[in-house]
Amino acid sequence: MAQHATPPSSSVSTVSAAARAQVLLLLGSNVEAEGQLERALRELARQFPLVWTSARCWSEAVPQGAPPYLNQAAIIECELPREALKPRLREIEAALGRIRPAPEPSLCPIDIDALARIEREWTIWDEKAWRAPYTSAVLAGLPLPAG
């Protein structure tokens, strides 16, 4: 279920409160990670206006034993509802070598999750990813809603 939160007023200058809706994405890879994140961002920028990207942070993989992930957040301008955006993100993942189901579950060439819609309020789309430890590290520079 979507959770709504009002972003702090200071976020207006950091995360432009554009007339168009924005979507917060979380990208991750544990296979040729630097290159995969670069390619994913290029493709996202080709399809959507790219508003913001975070620094990249390494995190331990879940389940343990898999190679660590390199994670990065991005904000795109996007009017699509979540149901229409998800297949577009899956197409980008597939173009970058992601196969579902994964032949080797511990390896992930690219994962792109839509975490939240940003309008006047934030609508959290992926509660599990939103609260994950790897998410907080890449969102450190972004003023986030409370809760």
Side-chain angles (χ1 to χ4, degrees):
M1 175 159 229
Q3 171 187 337
H4 295 279
T6 303
S9 59
S10 64
S11 70
V12 172
S13 60
T14 304
V15 180
S16 62
R20 295 187 58 180
Q22 298 176 341
V23 174
L24 175 63
L25 304 175
L26 182 64
L27 295 77
S29 174
N30 69 355
V31 177
E32 300 177 17
E34 288 280 352
Q36 286 292 77
L37 292 180
E38 285 298 325
R39 288 183 283 279
L41 287 172
R42 273 197 306 272
E43 185 57 27
L44 286 166
R46 191 181 73 71
Q47 295 189 32
F48 307 97
L50 190 57
V51 175
W52 176 85
T53 59
S54 73
R56 295 177 178 168
C57 298
W58 288 97
S59 67
E60 292 301 315
V62 178
Q64 292 181 344
Y69 274 76
L70 185 59
N71 299 293
Q72 184 170 23
I75 294 177
I76 59 171
E77 285 186 358
C78 179
E79 296 293 336
L80 296 173
R82 183 180 189 196
E83 300 75 29
L85 178 59
K86 189 171 184 174
R88 298 267 302 267
L89 299 177
R90 291 274 174 102
E91 288 173 11
I92 295 171
E93 290 175 346
L96 294 176
R98 175 114 189 231
I99 300 169
R100 292 177 189 263
E104 176 55 56
S106 66
L107 300 178
C108 181
I110 191 70
D111 186 38
I112 307 172
D113 296 323
L115 266 66
R117 175 173 296 286
I118 307 165
E119 294 175 303
R120 287 189 186 101
E121 292 185 331
W122 294 53
T123 303
I124 309 304
W125 282 345
D126 188 334
E127 188 72 30
K128 181 180 174 187
W130 179 258
R131 297 204 182 282
Y134 53 81
T135 301
S136 61
V138 295
L139 298 182
L142 179 67
L144 299 174

